[in-house]
Amino acid sequence: MSRKDQAYDYIRKRIITGNLKDGTPILENDLSEELHMSRTPIREALRDLEAEGAVVSYAFRGTFVTALTPYDVEDIFDLRLLFELWALDRGFNRITEEELDLAAKKLTDAKEAGDWDEDYLADLHLHNLIIEKSGSRRLVGFMDVLYTQIERISYRAFMNKTYNRNSFEEHMELIAGIRERNLPKSREVLSRHLNNVAEAAIEAYKTV
């Protein structure tokens, strides 16, 4: 892993987990000391994070963690719903039984383990499968950028205990719909699931 990637992962994780809160200044000198590296890879990492909307830079002022509002959260999840429904339509018949089996296993294992990180990764695996099966490289790129914000929002929703507790059942219902090759049912479940997650996330951002 390159120095820039190390810095990117470190800063991104601190933003997602709320260790670096909305509006917090990001000090390159401090990061340089913490990571034992020069400021050049840190600047490169910050440019990538700015492109993903995680940080914002102002001339003569510095770089800050982007502050998200309930409106921003709603906007991000509206885009997610639009993209994922389009991806589901386009790649529906490309999703194999083996891929659905693996997605279901990951979700079940995570639920039994009771671990939020595993649950999130299982969630991400299923949604990424839908995106990837669209066959659109551009869409994959768009979602890579969007997921930095989605992870951050989801983490806050979980910590504020507004995380969607029906998530597992909705995911399994979605998998069942795809197995049945019932596109209308699958679209309805995916739309309901993402709207429920969005409501929980918006509520979490109203409490801060």
Side-chain angles (χ1 to χ4, degrees), residues 3 5 14 37 46 67 70 77 91 103 110 129 131 141 151 160 198-199:
R3 289 289 207 180
D5 289 341
R14 292 188 69 192
M37 63 176 67
L46 289 173
F77 274 91
L129 175 63
I131 295 296
E151 277 192 71
N160 281 270
E199 286 178 15

Side-chain angles (χ1 to χ4, degrees), residues 135-154:
S136 171
R137 288 180 296 174
R138 289 180 179 84
L139 181 59
V140 170
F142 292 154
M143 291 305 294
D144 282 345
V145 171
L146 203 59
Y147 266 124
T148 294
Q149 300 294 358
I150 291 169
E151 277 192 71
R152 182 180 169 193
I153 293 164
S154 298

Side-chain angles (χ1 to χ4, degrees), residues 10-21:
Y10 178 79
I11 301 166
R12 184 178 185 272
K13 184 174 182 180
R14 292 188 69 192
I15 292 172
I16 286 170
T17 59
N19 190 280
L20 287 172
K21 299 186 184 301

Side-chain angles (χ1 to χ4, degrees), residues 112-139:
E112 291 175 353
D115 183 88
W116 185 84
D117 287 330
E118 285 189 32
D119 186 55
Y120 179 76
L121 290 173
D123 177 300
L124 192 61
H125 176 85
L126 176 58
H127 289 283
N128 276 344
L129 175 63
I130 293 169
I131 295 296
E132 288 166 5
K133 286 297 179 173
S134 73
S136 171
R137 288 180 296 174
R138 289 180 179 84
L139 181 59

